[in-house]
Amino acid sequence: MSEKIYIGVDLGGTAIKVGICDEEGHLLHTYEGPTETEKGPDAIVNNIERYVRLIVEQSPFDWEQVAGVGAGVAGFTNVREGIIILAPNVGLRDLHIRKILEERLGKPIKIDNDANVAALGEAWGGAGKGIDNCVCYTLGTGVGGGIIINGSIYQGFSGLAGELGHMSVVPDLEAIQCGCGQMGCLETVSSATGIIRMAKDAVARGDRTSLAQVENIMAKDVFDAAKAGDEAAVRIVNRAAFYIGKSLAAVAVVLNPEIFIIGGGVSKAGDILFDEIRSVCAKLTPEPVLKGLKIVPAMLGNDAGMVGAAGLFIRS
Amino acid sequence: MSEKIYIGVDLGGTAIKVGICDEEGHLLHTYEGPTETEKGPDAIVNNIERYVRLIVEQSPFDWEQVAGVGAGVAGFTNVREGIIILAPNVGLRDLHIRKILEERLGKPIKIDNDANVAALGEAWGGAGKGIDNCVCYTLGTGVGGGIIINGSIYQGFSGLAGELGHMSVVPDLEAIQCGCGQMGCLETVSSATGIIRMAKDAVARGDRTSLAQVENIMAKDVFDAAKAGDEAAVRIVNRAAFYIGKSLAAVAVVLNPEIFIIGGGVSKAGDILFDEIRSVCAKLTPEPVLKGLKIVPAMLGNDAGMVGAAGLFIRS
């Protein structure tokens, strides 16, 4: 066993997930431990180092086979310098993580933000395997995005390419303000947060809906109600899907991708969401651009971050 | 003089423009002759060959210095195979122009469509010189676009990336159908055709406007009236500018470009158009993406096609 292996680290606010990938993007071993955010930056870095060494020790591979360690971080990163600028949920700021980990581990280190890394994971070892150009949406608490061009993450001028949650898609009359300061961002309607808000609004204004019986509404409750035929819930799901479809259509004429990959918790709603997204996108996209275009669910789920982080060495 | 030179051909319905570029994107010599569309494909190809040989003979360069001949064509092209699929204004269809010209000229040939080639020209030797990632809009009879990533034209999955005129940006209630079949495309409002249509509508419904005195309204008449303070004309120009700004904002969060370059006949309106475009884009774009973003007029005018066609060898 002398082939190279790549380690992917998914650094989140609660857990650090570490995985070993081979050169084809197969995730071979994983380990998960607590981040221990409350103990501060030093403890977090110690944990990363410890989990990385531990997973290699527990695997049939030797430390010498480790060709690089990549990390995906929920927050703003300076990819070129290897700095975590701000990761609020992890409690890190201005941390030169590449330099620190290179010294501790003696291996090349690369970092990127979680949405980009998840996109790369799906493109390398998931739903986009074998496809060089794809656009990924992650529908979670917010809406994240990542653009893969010629197999690598496309960063743009200042590392902000693929901020798909902040496309302004909702018309002025219906728009609410987004956390980013703009009005009508995709994220305000098509994230879990947006779906929950619309459901609470429906209950508050007295719409006839089974959601009125739910105590602490989650996005999954809305999808379950919609699947059971609740009209208010169907309207909410269709509205979330409509604006995703509208955003896909805009991105389609700009980038002419072969595939859109849609992941994140909200995407688990399945056909009820995807059927509507596909139908709206088909309606709003010129036929030549639509031809051959695929809109598919993400495949790797929570593993996408680990796979993509490992993939930073192969594909970027 | 042993340096390499590159020939760029701009193949239009009326004229064939041929230029010699050096390796830095400087346009050194140009020649223009009639296309002679009416004489059919063979005559057109003969003319291209003749003009290319002629410009080199008239220049201080030797034929041996010609490293490649690129051509930009107003129409659909298959870049990989070097085929003009359909160029309605030139009267060409399914022409294997690369193969034919390679045999006749004994030089490597590359082709692309006119919007992509113009974008590459501006990126290589014009307003985007020295910048690797830019997005170009050409506001003419229609609205064309080209996306330059890492110095090369980005083609997308089926060669349709950058069809920016077909972004659906006009809200349903105001939308009219585009030639592409979709509703509310940018091209329906922000092209010369769209501006003329809005002006004729204003006159027809009896708006108080100096344009009522103009016999055959052109886009330039609308801009001139707007500059003279005609309120109806100002409204039309602002509307055209608004949707360009809205489209730029959407592209900005997707691609995070360093520069937008706006060319074509309509862009000659100058500040009255650009001030409004910049203001709208600033309003609709999240601040971090806006930071450092430049929105500038194209520099090369009608030469962009020749420069970009020559650039196909250096930058693609």
Side-chain angles (χ1 to χ4, degrees):
Chain A
M1 282 202 294
S2 63
E3 80 265 35
K4 287 178 185 170
I5 56 167
Y6 300 86
I7 311 239
V9 177
D10 179 347
L11 174 57
T14 314
I16 297 170
K17 287 183 267 186
V18 184
I20 295 181
C21 282
D22 66 15
E23 298 185 63
E24 268 74 50
H26 301 114
L27 185 63
L28 305 174
H29 304 272
T30 64
Y31 178 85
E32 183 171 338
T35 311
E36 301 187 302
T37 310
E38 69 284 359
K39 295 192 183 166
D42 286 350
I44 296 172
V45 171
N46 283 341
N47 283 339
I48 296 173
E49 183 188 355
R50 200 151 52 88
Y51 302 159
V52 169
R53 293 197 181 274
L54 200 144
I55 195 175
V56 178
E57 278 164 27
Q58 290 180 345
S59 79
F61 300 103
D62 296 325
W63 185 249
E64 284 65 39
Q65 291 176 260
V66 177
V69 179
V73 187
F76 294 98
T77 54
N78 180 329
V79 171
R80 236 168 278 170
E81 310 284 330
I83 299 170
I84 297 175
I85 297 170
L86 181 65
N89 298 330
V90 194
L92 296 177
R93 176 191 287 270
D94 295 326
L95 184 72
H96 282 54
I97 190 154
R98 183 171 72 200
K99 196 163 154 278
I100 297 172
L101 286 177
E102 272 177 355
E103 280 167 13
R104 300 249 196 133
L105 293 168
K107 299 286 182 187
I109 308 288
K110 289 192 180 189
I111 66 163
D112 209 323
N113 74 58
D114 53 348
N116 278 347
V117 154
L120 184 62
E122 288 291 341
W124 184 35
K129 203 168 177 130
I131 295 174
D132 256 5
N133 301 297
C134 64
V135 177
C136 301
Y137 283 69
T138 305
L139 313 175
T141 312
V143 172
I147 294 171
I148 307 298
I149 288 181
N150 299 330
S152 297
I153 296 167
Y154 181 64
Q155 298 285 352
F157 167 47
S158 45
L160 295 168
E163 285 289 345
L164 305 172
H166 300 289
M167 288 189 87
S168 181
V169 288
V170 185
D172 289 354
L173 288 173
E174 302 176 30
I176 67 163
Q177 193 169 34
C178 179
C180 79
Q182 297 302 120
M183 300 292 292
C185 292
L186 177 62
E187 183 163 301
T188 63
V189 279
S190 303
S191 62
T193 317
I195 290 167
I196 292 166
R197 180 185 54 77
M198 292 189 282
K200 287 183 175 167
D201 285 354
V203 172
R205 70 174 172 253
D207 284 10
R208 269 181 54 178
T209 167
S210 60
L211 293 167
Q213 269 71 60
V214 182
E215 199 159 319
N216 187 17
I217 300 177
M218 307 292 280
K220 190 177 178 309
D221 299 319
V222 182
F223 287 112
D224 288 344
K227 283 174 199 165
D230 184 281
E231 277 180 36
V234 169
R235 267 202 314 277
I236 292 166
V237 171
N238 284 351
R239 186 151 187 259
F242 176 82
Y243 288 112
I244 298 166
K246 189 175 170 187
S247 160
L248 296 189
V251 175
V253 288
V254 176
L255 285 176
N256 182 211
E258 182 169 354
I259 190 168
F260 283 110
I261 301 171
I262 301 178
V266 171
S267 74
K268 298 209 178 96
D271 289 348
I272 195 171
L273 186 76
F274 278 85
D275 288 351
E276 185 70 11
I277 292 174
R278 290 193 186 101
S279 144
V280 172
C281 181
K283 223 173 288 173
L284 298 177
T285 306
E287 194 272 329
V289 177
L290 193 65
K291 203 175 157 188
L293 177 65
K294 291 176 275 295
I295 300 171
V296 302
M299 270 176 53
L300 300 178
N302 293 329
D303 293 344
M306 283 183 285
V307 176
L312 287 171
F313 285 90
I314 312 251
R315 306 288 298 252
S316 282
Chain B
M1 281 201 295
S2 63
E3 80 265 33
K4 287 178 184 171
I5 57 167
Y6 300 86
I7 313 247
V9 177
D10 179 348
L11 175 56
T14 314
I16 297 170
K17 286 183 267 185
V18 184
I20 295 180
C21 281
D22 66 14
E23 298 184 62
E24 268 73 51
H26 300 115
L27 185 62
L28 306 174
H29 304 272
T30 64
Y31 178 86
E32 182 171 340
T35 311
E36 300 187 303
T37 310
E38 67 285 358
K39 296 189 183 166
D42 286 350
I44 297 172
V45 171
N46 282 340
N47 283 339
I48 296 173
E49 183 188 355
R50 201 151 53 88
Y51 301 159
V52 168
R53 291 196 183 276
L54 200 144
I55 195 174
V56 178
E57 277 165 28
Q58 290 180 345
S59 80
F61 300 103
D62 297 325
W63 185 249
E64 284 64 39
Q65 290 177 260
V66 178
V69 179
V73 187
F76 294 99
T77 54
N78 180 328
V79 171
R80 236 169 279 170
E81 309 284 329
I83 300 170
I84 297 175
I85 298 170
L86 181 65
N89 297 330
V90 194
L92 295 177
R93 178 192 286 271
D94 294 327
L95 184 71
H96 282 55
I97 191 155
R98 182 171 73 200
K99 196 162 156 277
I100 298 170
L101 286 178
E102 272 178 355
E103 282 168 11
R104 300 249 197 133
L105 294 169
K107 298 286 181 187
I109 308 289
K110 289 193 180 189
I111 67 163
D112 208 322
N113 73 58
D114 53 348
N116 278 347
V117 155
L120 183 62
E122 288 291 342
W124 184 36
K129 201 167 179 129
I131 295 174
D132 257 7
N133 301 297
C134 64
V135 177
C136 301
Y137 284 69
T138 304
L139 313 175
T141 312
V143 172
I147 294 171
I148 307 298
I149 288 182
N150 299 330
S152 297
I153 297 167
Y154 181 65
Q155 298 287 350
F157 167 47
S158 45
L160 295 169
E163 285 288 345
L164 305 172
H166 300 290
M167 288 189 87
S168 182
V169 288
V170 185
D172 288 355
L173 287 172
E174 302 175 30
I176 67 164
Q177 194 169 35
C178 179
C180 79
Q182 296 302 120
M183 300 293 291
C185 291
L186 177 62
E187 183 163 300
T188 62
V189 280
S190 303
S191 62
T193 317
I195 289 166
I196 293 166
R197 180 185 53 77
M198 291 189 282
K200 286 183 175 167
D201 285 354
V203 171
R205 70 174 171 253
D207 284 10
R208 268 181 55 178
T209 166
S210 60
L211 293 167
Q213 268 71 59
V214 182
E215 199 159 320
N216 187 17
I217 301 176
M218 307 292 279
K220 190 178 178 309
D221 300 319
V222 182
F223 287 112
D224 288 344
K227 282 174 199 166
D230 185 283
E231 277 181 35
V234 169
R235 268 203 312 278
I236 292 166
V237 172
N238 284 351
R239 187 152 188 258
F242 176 82
Y243 288 112
I244 297 166
K246 189 175 169 185
S247 160
L248 296 189
V251 174
V253 288
V254 176
L255 285 176
N256 182 210
E258 182 169 354
I259 190 168
F260 282 111
I261 300 171
I262 301 179
V266 171
S267 73
K268 297 206 180 100
D271 290 346
I272 196 171
L273 186 76
F274 278 85
D275 288 350
E276 184 71 12
I277 292 174
R278 290 194 187 101
S279 144
V280 172
C281 181
K283 222 174 289 173
L284 298 177
T285 306
E287 194 272 327
V289 177
L290 194 64
K291 202 176 156 189
L293 178 65
K294 290 175 277 293
I295 300 172
V296 303
M299 271 176 51
L300 299 178
N302 293 329
D303 293 344
M306 283 184 284
V307 175
L312 287 170
F313 285 90
I314 312 252
R315 306 288 300 250
S316 283

